[in-house]
Amino acid sequence: LMLTAKSEIDDKVLGLDSGANYYLTKPFDAKELLAAVRAIARSGNEVDTKLSCGNLTLDRASFEMSTPSGSVKLANKEFQMMEMLMRNPRKLISTETFMDRIWGFDSEAELNTVWVYVSMLRKKLKEINADVGIKAQRGVGYYLEVQS
């Protein structure tokens, strides 16, 4: 269930295509929220809480990133970035997209914040011997790639 102030059609499509079962925009009525929760509960779809790429697994329930060699807990923004990358392996995600989706349009954070978080994630991937790396396309963005 996505609850957001973004009400443009493109935002809704992106939210639903990214895995949301329901997209609710603010302001909303409590009756609509409860109906959305009931609809999702009725769907009976078991939500897989784990994403995998190469030998890397990201547990969306525990915010833990792991490989057969070890695991590490991620902070909230690290987790959000890693989830975006793992949902879209080999797909270039622009720095601006990370900023908009994770920090928000009205954030005071600077673009180099994304680079700092990518650097922290790379260290954690190395720490647990992941065969997955975060690659950069200079001046454009980042993507996830299984390393050979």
Side-chain angles (χ1 to χ4, degrees):
L1 170 63
M2 291 191 80
L3 177 59
T4 177
K6 296 180 180 182
S7 60
E8 297 294 320
I9 295 299
D10 288 343
D11 296 322
K12 291 178 183 181
V13 169
L14 180 62
L16 293 168
D17 284 347
S18 295
N21 292 324
Y22 199 92
Y23 193 98
L24 188 61
T25 58
K26 296 188 251 180
F28 61 89
D29 187 279
K31 289 188 269 185
E32 185 180 10
L33 173 61
L34 292 172
V37 170
R38 287 191 302 271
I40 291 169
R42 274 193 312 269
S43 71
N45 293 338
E46 288 297 314
V47 177
D48 187 8
T49 63
K50 295 183 180 180
L51 292 172
S52 295
C53 184
N55 73 346
L56 182 68
T57 300
L58 181 67
D59 189 326
R60 294 183 286 183
S62 67
F63 282 42
E64 190 172 80
M65 186 169 64
S66 63
T67 67
S69 300
S71 66
V72 61
K73 201 96 156 143
L74 298 178
N76 183 40
K77 295 202 183 314
E78 289 175 321
F79 169 79
Q80 290 179 59
M81 286 186 76
M82 202 65 210
E83 183 181 34
M84 282 178 67
L85 289 164
M86 288 186 74
R87 282 183 164 277
N88 303 284
R90 295 174 304 281
K91 180 179 176 194
L92 188 65
I93 301 173
S94 73
T95 304
E96 291 79 9
T97 299
F98 281 121
M99 288 300 297
D100 292 345
R101 300 232 183 100
I102 297 172
W103 282 269
F105 288 110
D106 56 352
S107 172
E108 299 285 325
E110 307 228 353
L111 283 177
N112 68 346
T113 303
V114 173
W115 177 85
V116 171
Y117 276 83
V118 165
S119 178
M120 291 188 302
L121 284 170
R122 284 175 172 158
K123 287 177 186 171
K124 289 182 179 186
L125 288 167
K126 186 175 182 180
E127 179 184 325
I128 60 173
N129 296 316
D131 66 358
V132 171
I134 301 173
K135 303 294 182 185
Q137 186 167 336
R138 194 168 197 81
V140 181
Y142 300 91
Y143 61 98
L144 199 63
E145 181 176 86
V146 177
Q147 301 168 339
S148 38

